[in-house]
Structure formats: C-alpha cells, structure tokens
Amino acid sequence: MSELSSGNRANRGAFSGRTAFILAAIGSAVGLGNIWRFPYVAYSNGGGAFILPYIVALLTAGIPLLFLDYAIGHRYRASAPLSFRRLHRLTEPIGWWQVLICVIIGIYYAVILGWAAQYFIFSFTRAWGDDPGTFFIGEYTQSLGAADAHLGFDFVPGVLIPLIIVWVAVVAVLALGVQKGIAGTSVIFMPILVVMFVALVVIGLTLPGAAQGLDALFTPDWSALTNSSVWVAAYGQIFFSLSVAFGIMLTYSSYLKKDTDLTGSGLVVGFANSSFEILAGIGVFAALGFMAQTAGQPVQEVAGAGIGLAFIAFPTIINQAGALGTVIGVLFFGSLVFAAFTSMISIVEVIIAAVQDKFGLARVPAVLVVGIPMALVSLFLFPTTTGLNLLDVMDAFVNNFGIVAAALVAAVTLTAGFAALPTLRNHLNRSSSFKVGRVWQLLVGGVSPVVLGYILIGELQKVLTEGYGGMPQGFVNTFGWGMAGLLVVGAIVLSVLPWPAKSNAAKVDSDGDLIPSPILDRLVDAGRVEEARANPIIDNESLPPEPPARRAQIPTSEEAAR
Amino acid sequence: MSTSAIIMMVLAIAIVWGGLAFAIVFLLKHPEGSVQLLDDHGRPLNPPS
C-alpha cells in the first residue's frame, strides 16, 4: 500500500519479536496478586483440591479471554479505544472504560510499589521493631481506622518519598519506548524475579515448620468442590491474575508483528503466570508454617493475604528468622518490587497508548502528558493518613465493578451484539500454531459471561447488604460507587469526542498496511458500510459483500406468469 | 506433611509446570515465520509454490 506516504503512518513502536512480547506479557500478568492473593485463595478454597477448579478456570476462561484481548489488539493495531472503535464505532466506550480503569489502578498500585521498595530497605534495618502490625498502620502509613475514613491531606513523608521515586522510574522506563523500556525491563526483571523467588522458596523450605505450612496449603478438602463459591473464587483468581480484559494484553498485542503466533505465545503466558502462582504458594506457606510454629499457633491463625500478609506477616517472619531474616526480607520485598513494577508499567502503558492514538503524539510527549498528571494525583491522594482506606475502597470497587463489569460487557457485546467472535477467531488462526475453533467462541461468549455475571452479582449483593469494610457510607458512595460509575460516564463522554485529524485513527499501520475493516452488518450498518468503503485507510476486502442485484432476486413478469 | 498433601502438591506442580513446559515446547516447534498465514476466511495466504 505504498501510495500512502510514511507521514500518514501511525508511529507507535513495536516489540522486536515474540520473546520480548511474551516476557513483557508475563511481566504484566505476574504481579502482586500472584504473590499475596493466590496462596490464601487456594488455602481457603479447598487447599489441594483447589487445583481442579483453578485449572478448569484457566482453560475455560483465563486463556480464552487472553486470546480475545490478543485478537482485538493484534487485528486492529491500536490502543484499547481505537481498537474497539475500529472493530465497530459503537464499541469504542468499552475501550475508554478499560483505559479509565487503568487510570484508577495506576494511581494506587504505585503506592503499594512504593511501600514494597521502602520495606526492602527496612529489611536491613528492621525498622518495624517488635510489632510490625502497629508499625505499619500506626507509624509507617499513620493510617486512620476504617471508621474514620475521609479524604484528608495530612501527608506522610515516609510514604511520599518512595512514591515520588516510583513515579519517576515508571515515567523514565515508559519514555524509553515499547521495546527498550517495556520489553527491556521485563527481559531483565523477570529472570531476576524467578531466581529471587526460587531462592526464597528454597530458604523457606529449610525453615522449621515449613512442612506444616505446606500441609495446610495442599491438604485437599474435596467437599469444597461441591461449593459454588470455591469455583467462583477460582475463576476470580484466574481472571484478576492474568490481567485480561482491561486493555493491557490488547495494547501489548498491538505492538506485535502481523505474523506473530498469538495463541502459541498466549499459552506460554497463561501457564507461566499460573506456574509462578504455584511457586508463590509454596514460598508463602512455607514461611507461614515457620511463623505459626515459632509463635506456637496453628497455621490458620497466621494465614492471610494482601497488605497484611506482605507488610505485617512477612516482617514478623523476618524478625523470627534471625540473621537469615534479612535475606528473606530482601528476597521477598525485592520480588514484590520486581513483580509489581512490570505490572505497573503495563497498566500505565494502556493509557499512554490511548492518548498517543487519540492525539497522534510521539512517544515521549505522550508519556509526559499521561505520567505527570497521574503522578500528581497519586501523590496528592495516597501518601496521607487517609490513603490506606482510599486505596482499599478504590481497589475493591475498580476490580469488582470496573474490571469484571467491563469484561462482562465486552464478552456479551462482542458475542451477541456485534457477532465479532467468528472474525476474531479467524484472525487468531491466521498466524497461530494453536488453532482455535467454535469451542473458543463458546468459552468466550458462553462460559465467561456466566461466570463474570455470577461474580458481579455476588459482589453487588455483598456490598449492598454489608457496606464496605466498615467505612462510612458517604466515603464508600464517593470513592467506591461514585468512582465506578464515573468510569462508565467518562467512557461514554470520551467516545463521543471527535478524533482529531492528526490522530492515529486517520492513519494506516506503522508498516504502511491498511487497517482491517470494521465488523459491520450489511443491513443494520448500511450507512457505516458506505463510510468504511470510502475510508482510504481501511482494507475493504472483509467488508460485507454488496447486496445482490434486485433483478436477480425478483422474478421477471414473464417468470412470474409461468 | 500428610500423604494427601504431598500428592496434591506434586500433582499441582506437575499439571501447571508441565503445562508451561508443554506450551514452551509447542511454541519452539513453531519458530517465528514458520506458520502458514491464512486470510480472514481461513484460506492460505501466498500458498507455498
């Protein structure tokens, strides 16, 4: 398509090859959830028996949804909003919804990354003293209780300074570009992460009590398999852990060459993410077994997840382990930092890619336009005495009523409203070694919406009846419900704004190729078919065929007379 | 550790890490550029001569 000058090509950056992409995608998928969420979810949902629903969820929802993201981004060669717009003008809000979800996650995820970096240093000094719980809440974050949650601006320097450093690092890496920055970081960080975590597991297994910890994690409770909440937990874990359906995998796959093996790469990413979860489960529960034995308590007394596990339980373990504790601390918090950093850059990249497409910006200006305001909001809201509560409520609501809801809407609209799955299936098979068939369509369009709907309704019921985390209703209404609702409104508003003439929407792909035509129904989208045919950047080959001439359909008067 | 816990741990490792090993081997068997490209209708693009 050489008639289109290079000035009319999108300038977006690319991965050098599939290895770089796979490592970047694993870097994104392997995050805090693998380390601090999976072990406890597995433990409290059937232990060893959890592996069955977990594998079923991986194969029937996780990997199929991962393929869906890959197909959209790779086919339409753009960020989430522009890819969805190119798929069909009316699906553009889904893309903006995903971008706004990433804005929210990005501003608080950086905070946890800052804590982890600070605790990495605390591992040497044991700054948390004898009571890490009181230290984290009272001294380090100086957090107010849930009942006192409000928006306040009493800044805590110990949290503020690491957060500034995190944002500078994130912006710097992203400014380096897709290959040098994003892939480059993962190519270095992922092997280091694996080596560090394996070392942590090896040390953990030598600690007294490790066997009891693993016993608690892996002893199967087969009766759990008859409990639907266990299956929902498995699907939820797979879904949140793989970073599917909020734009990341879509954005990354848009940076791939057109002949890249999408499904073959996706299988590696999906299984690598779960492999790291199993490793994390062993490491975390070996350490918790040690903690329980040292304290003379059963494992269920010390088992936990999330912030409590990382910033209270692990410091306790480090205290108990004597000189070895420093090594455990360095390995654990180092792993958290590496895992979270590669996830963080993938989250912010979703927004950068969208801004770049919308305004046709070069890399560095786009990174600054996104990174600086996000950093300022993050620095303004979270390193305060009220930051922990704000983070808690935003995390819960953006996950359950943002990511899950957006994924549900995407799966349903792409299946039922726009019948996009057959085209996307053919696109996956176009260059892939592992071919997908109708089963994939059934899993994306049938199984996923049912499971996502079930998760969404369950969470909705729970929060509506119980409130959230003992926080004041006004606070939850503003930063929980209000925030989640604003994402939807914002997505619709952003979709209505016109795309500037110099945006990437008006440009062909970076290699000069035309953009695949939208998925249009000849009759329903009659006007859009004409519009697409007239658009110089669209490859018309896959548009619906011209209607057959009327004459051929209607019998002539002579034929009718016979 | 109880026998059932050991069995489940080995099984979990075997299934998930085995799946990863299988996925990597499968990918390596199809090096970049070796897959026959298809068009949107599943027909081979530039069929081999």
Side-chain angles (χ1 to χ4, degrees), chain A residues 467-483:
Chain A
Y468 183 76
M471 294 180 191
Q473 199 55 46
F475 186 75
V476 175
N477 285 346
T478 312
F479 297 103
W481 295 117
M483 177 273 297

Side-chain angles (χ1 to χ4, degrees), chain A residues 18 48 75 215 275 426 430, chain B residues 2 8 17 27 30 38 40:
Chain A
R18 72 181 183 191
R75 182 173 176 85
D215 219 24
S275 295
N426 282 339
R430 180 184 173 277
Chain B
S2 67
M8 289 319 292
W17 294 5
L27 191 69
H30 300 91
L38 306 175
D40 266 351

Side-chain angles (χ1 to χ4, degrees), chain A residues 65-66 68-73 78-85 87 91-107 239 243-254 346-355 374 398-399 401-414 424 452 483-484 486-492 494-495:
Chain A
L65 286 172
L66 188 64
L68 177 70
D69 275 4
Y70 283 178
I72 298 170
S79 61
L82 185 52
S83 282
F84 272 102
R85 181 186 169 86
L87 191 152
T91 57
E92 189 180 336
I94 299 173
W96 286 114
W97 197 0
Q98 296 181 339
V99 170
L100 294 177
I101 286 169
C102 288
V103 171
I104 299 294
I105 299 178
I107 59 173
F239 181 73
S243 5
V244 285
F246 58 104
I248 294 177
M249 292 300 176
L250 188 161
T251 305
Y252 275 13
S253 65
S254 75
S346 72
I347 292 163
V348 182
E349 176 62 18
V350 172
I351 312 155
I352 291 171
V355 168
M374 272 186 80
V398 82
N399 275 292
F401 309 116
I403 301 179
V404 173
L408 179 63
V409 170
V412 170
T413 29
L414 294 180
L424 296 174
L452 291 166
M483 177 273 297
L486 205 60
L487 299 186
V488 179
V489 175
I492 294 168
L494 286 167
S495 310

Side-chain angles (χ1 to χ4, degrees), chain A residues 25-266:
Chain A
I26 294 173
S28 167
V30 172
L32 296 170
N34 296 58
I35 298 173
W36 76 19
R37 195 172 184 277
F38 170 80
Y40 187 73
V41 169
Y43 162 77
S44 52
N45 287 285
F50 184 73
I51 191 72
L52 182 70
Y54 179 75
I55 287 290
V56 170
L58 174 67
L59 298 178
T60 60
I63 289 177
L65 286 172
L66 188 64
F67 288 172
L68 177 70
D69 275 4
Y70 283 178
I72 298 170
H74 189 253
R75 182 173 176 85
Y76 295 104
R77 322 292 307 158
S79 61
L82 185 52
S83 282
F84 272 102
R85 181 186 169 86
R86 283 173 170 171
L87 191 152
H88 194 288
R89 186 71 62 83
L90 295 179
T91 57
E92 189 180 336
I94 299 173
W96 286 114
W97 197 0
Q98 296 181 339
V99 170
L100 294 177
I101 286 169
C102 288
V103 171
I104 299 294
I105 299 178
I107 59 173
Y108 72 74
Y109 206 85
V111 181
I112 304 169
L113 188 47
W115 294 343
Q118 184 70 69
Y119 268 62
F120 177 84
I121 294 165
F122 285 169
S123 301
F124 294 98
T125 61
R126 312 269 169 102
W128 47 68
D130 293 332
D131 187 356
T134 310
F135 174 81
F136 180 73
I137 303 288
E139 213 169 307
Y140 178 57
T141 62
Q142 298 176 24
S143 294
L144 302 175
D148 298 325
H150 64 280
L151 188 62
F153 299 101
D154 294 328
F155 286 92
V156 182
V159 181
L160 178 69
I161 292 162
L163 186 56
I164 294 173
I165 297 170
V166 164
W167 276 108
V168 169
V170 167
V171 168
V173 163
L174 285 166
L176 286 174
V178 174
Q179 176 59 28
K180 265 193 189 166
I182 297 172
T185 313
S186 291
V187 166
I188 299 168
F189 280 16
M190 282 303 105
I192 298 178
L193 172 64
V194 171
V195 170
M196 284 176 79
F197 217 91
V198 167
L200 182 68
V201 168
V202 170
I203 292 174
L205 290 175
T206 63
L207 295 172
Q212 282 93 309
L214 295 181
D215 219 24
L217 176 61
F218 285 108
T219 300
D221 169 13
W222 297 109
S223 68
L225 297 184
T226 57
N227 187 343
S228 65
S229 71
V230 168
W231 289 83
V232 170
Y235 277 93
Q237 176 60 32
I238 284 291
F239 181 73
F240 290 125
S241 168
L242 262 183
S243 5
V244 285
F246 58 104
I248 294 177
M249 292 300 176
L250 188 161
T251 305
Y252 275 13
S253 65
S254 75
Y255 298 135
L256 279 171
K257 291 176 190 154
K258 294 199 177 69
D259 61 352
T260 304
D261 186 342
L262 295 175
T263 55
S265 308

